[in-house]
Amino acid sequence: MHDKYGREITYLRLSVTELCNLRCRYCMPEDGVCKKRHDEMLTREEMIMAVRAAAALGIRKLRITGGEPLVKAGIVDLCREAAAVEGIQEVCLTTNATLLPKLAAPLREAGVNRLNISLDTLDAEKYRYITRLGELEEAMKGLEAALSCGYEKIKINTVLIGGFNDDEIPALAELTRRYPVDVRFIELMPMYDSGDFGPEAFIPYTAVTERLPELSPVPADGGVAKLYRLPGAQGNVGLISPVSAHFCTECNRIRLTADGKLKPCLHSSDEISLKGLDFDGMLETMRSAILAKPHWHGELSYRERSRANRNMNQIGG
Ligand code: SAM
Ligand code: SF4
C-alpha cells in the first residue's frame, strides 16, 4: 500500500531480539540491555502473524535483524516460516557474522536469499575495541562460510567513523576486488545512547569518494545506496547517507521491534504496539502505521540526535 505521501511501502524490517553477543560502541551500552520480561516480547507466532499481515498489505521484502538475530533460539525455523509466507519474495538477514560458520548453510537452506554482514575494520585490535567483545577472526570466518553457501547477494556494512576507520576506506573497499561482495559505507547515526563519539566521528559519505578517486558511478539498484565500482572489482562500493543527505522521499520501509512496536520512521519516537493482537488487529494497526509515516525524520547531526529514544540494537538498524 501507499502512505499518504505516495510512497509505496514494500519492505518490513523485523527485529527478532534486542540481545547481542557483541557490544558495538555506536549501537548499545557496555553492560548490554536490561533484559525485558519474556511476555513483553513478541512470540515467534506473533512475528509470523505480523509478517503475514505485512504481506497482505503489499510488503514483499523482509529483513530479519536485531540485536544479533543469530543469537535467537530457533532463528533458522523462524526464517523458514517467514520465507514461506505468501507474498514475501525476498528474505534478507543482517548479522555481525560471528555465528555464521554454523548457521550460514542452514539459513540459506531455510530460504534466506541475501545477507548483510557488519564489519567496521580489518584490524583485529580495532575490531576488539569497537565491538567491545568480538574477534575479527570469527567475523571473517563467518564471511567465508557465507560465501560458500550460494547466497544471491552478500553485502558488507561498514559504519564510517571519523578517526576510527576512515584510514581503512581503501582496504575495506578492496574487499570488493577480493570477494564477490558489495561494501557499503554508512554514515554514523547519532542515536539515543550511541557512545561518546565526538563531532569529528560524524563524517559525510563524501569522505569515501575523496579517498578513492578511482571509483566510477554505477546505476542504483533500487536501494538507498549511491553505487560506485573500483576498476576490476567483483562488487560495488555503496554509500549510504542518512545524516548528510537523507533519503526519506524514497523510504519504502516500516520497522517492527522485538517488543512488538511498529515504527513508521527509524528516527521518530512514534511507536504503535502489535503485541497481543490477532491477525485482523495487526492488519489494521499496520495500515494505520503506514499512514502515519512522517515525510522525513527531521534534522540529524552530532547535536541534533535521533528522536527514536532507543538504541539501534532495540530497533534493528
Ligand atoms: N547485529 C546485527 C549486525 O550488527 O549486523 C544486526 C543489527 S545492527 C543494529 C544493524 C546495523 O545497524 C549494523 O550494520 C550496524 O552497524 C548498524 N548500526 C548500529 N548502530 C548504528 C549507528 N549509530 N549508526 C549507523 N549504523 C548503526
Ligand atoms: Fe550487536 Fe549489531 Fe549492535 Fe554490534 S551493531 S552491538 S553486532 S546489534
Side-chain angles (χ1 to χ4, degrees), residues 12-22 26-28 33 41 47 63-72 75 78 92-96 116 118 255-259 266 310-317:
L12 172 67
R13 298 172 78 115
L14 169 64
S15 173
V16 296
T17 179
E18 296 181 0
L19 306 179
C20 188
N21 54 345
L22 303 184
Y26 46 72
C27 181
M28 63 189 286
V33 284
M41 311 308 280
M47 287 182 190
R63 176 169 304 283
I64 308 280
T65 178
E68 174 48 46
L70 304 191
V71 304
K72 184 170 176 67
I75 185 64
L78 179 59
C92 313
L93 184 142
T94 304
T95 173
N96 62 36
N116 282 6
S118 302
R255 294 175 166 81
L256 178 57
T257 65
D259 59 347
L266 167 60
R310 283 175 178 249
N311 287 321
M312 209 61 112
N313 70 297
Q314 297 175 308
I315 305 174

Side-chain angles (χ1 to χ4, degrees), residues 2 11 33 38 48 54 87 93 187 189 208 217-218 225 230 249 301 309:
H2 289 78
Y11 181 8
V33 284
H38 201 63
I48 295 299
L93 184 142
E187 290 174 351
M189 288 180 259
V208 177
V218 298
L230 286 175
T249 50
S301 69
N309 293 337

Side-chain angles (χ1 to χ4, degrees), residues 56-243:
L57 292 173
I59 297 289
R60 299 189 286 274
K61 174 173 171 181
L62 174 69
R63 176 169 304 283
I64 308 280
T65 178
E68 174 48 46
L70 304 191
V71 304
K72 184 170 176 67
I75 185 64
V76 174
D77 289 336
L78 179 59
C79 289
R80 192 190 316 281
E81 282 182 57
V85 169
E86 199 181 324
I88 296 297
Q89 295 170 2
E90 189 173 59
V91 178
C92 313
L93 184 142
T94 304
T95 173
N96 62 36
T98 55
L99 300 173
L100 280 178
K102 266 199 189 137
L103 289 170
L107 286 167
R108 180 71 187 109
E109 182 271 322
V112 176
N113 307 91
R114 295 168 169 243
L115 289 181
N116 282 6
I117 288 178
S118 302
L119 185 67
D120 300 327
T121 173
L122 295 170
D123 178 292
E125 203 50 53
K126 283 165 76 176
Y127 188 86
R128 250 175 243 128
Y129 171 78
I130 200 73
T131 64
R132 292 195 184 102
L133 293 176
E135 289 298 329
L136 177 65
E137 204 189 337
E138 288 173 15
M140 294 309 286
K141 279 189 192 148
L143 169 62
E144 301 274 352
L147 285 165
S148 66
C149 289
Y151 282 93
E152 289 163 26
K153 187 90 191 170
I154 297 178
K155 295 179 182 172
I156 293 177
N157 284 347
T158 298
V159 181
L160 194 55
I161 308 171
F164 173 71
N165 60 6
D166 46 340
D167 58 331
E168 290 189 78
I169 290 171
L172 286 156
E174 194 58 31
L175 293 173
T176 64
R177 286 201 174 110
R178 199 182 329 155
Y179 302 113
V181 298
D182 286 6
V183 172
R184 297 158 2 129
F185 292 96
I186 304 172
E187 290 174 351
L188 174 64
M189 288 180 259
M191 301 308 289
Y192 170 65
D193 178 24
S194 51
D196 47 5
F197 294 100
E200 68 292 345
F202 293 84
I203 56 175
Y205 72 98
T206 45
V208 177
T209 42
E210 279 161 22
R211 289 299 296 269
L212 295 172
E214 64 273 44
L215 281 176
S216 30
V218 298
D221 61 0
V224 293
K226 299 170 209 4
L227 297 182
Y228 298 82
R229 205 168 254 251
L230 286 175
Q234 305 181 64
N236 296 322
V237 171
L239 306 181
I240 304 184
S241 55
V243 179

